[in-house]
Amino acid sequence: MNNILNRTQQAPASVRSESRSDESSDQDVVTVRRACGRGEYDAARLRFLRLREPSQVRLLEDIPRSEAVRLAGGLPSYTVARLCERVPKTLRRAIVRALPEVKRHGVSVILDYRRRI
């Protein structure tokens, strides 16, 4: 009888793993915020890339614009383009304008292509 109660009280493995990944994701968001605040953008980018896309978008929207622009500027071009499709227009413009000319052109080409497909 005691074993039956213990089994029913335990969360299924899938729920436990999801909550661990959510906790890990939350920790990554905190780490990215702190790293950006300290100007450690390389470390912030590494953690940022581990996040799922919805968390990445929320984070870019929530941190100060200057930090979002600087963080995004060091990301791969395709990642920047993909995120630019999902962030508000004003943030997208700020990010793209701050990119070096060659990278800005690359991101624009990717965005144009993705709009056509």
Side-chain angles (χ1 to χ4, degrees):
M1 179 78 139
N2 198 15
N3 285 338
I4 293 171
L5 288 176
N6 286 337
R7 284 187 202 140
T8 59
Q9 291 173 346
Q10 292 178 350
S14 62
V15 173
R16 286 194 304 266
S17 66
E18 286 176 16
S19 65
R20 275 192 216 124
S21 66
D22 289 345
E23 290 171 11
S24 174
S25 177
D26 291 344
Q27 185 60 39
D28 285 337
V29 168
V30 170
T31 302
V32 171
R33 286 178 185 267
R34 285 184 185 154
C36 285
R38 292 189 302 255
E40 299 169 356
Y41 288 95
D42 290 336
R45 285 183 196 102
L46 288 174
R47 286 295 182 114
F48 182 83
L49 290 170
R50 290 175 50 178
L51 296 171
R52 298 179 77 204
E53 189 173 292
S55 296
Q56 290 176 340
V57 171
R58 263 193 315 276
L59 183 63
L60 287 175
E61 292 172 346
D62 290 346
I63 61 177
R65 177 155 298 162
S66 61
E67 290 179 8
V69 167
R70 190 137 177 229
L71 177 67
L75 295 172
S77 296
Y78 186 79
T79 302
V80 173
R82 187 174 39 79
L83 292 169
C84 280
E85 291 176 323
R86 290 164 176 76
V87 296
K89 196 178 211 177
T90 56
L91 180 56
R92 176 176 54 236
R93 283 188 190 139
I95 289 171
V96 173
R97 284 183 185 155
L99 295 172
E101 186 175 345
V102 173
K103 191 168 188 173
R104 183 179 333 126
H105 177 72
V107 168
S108 296
V109 167
I110 293 167
L111 287 170
D112 288 343
Y113 175 77
R114 288 176 59 94
R115 278 187 205 115
R116 281 188 259 139
I117 57 172

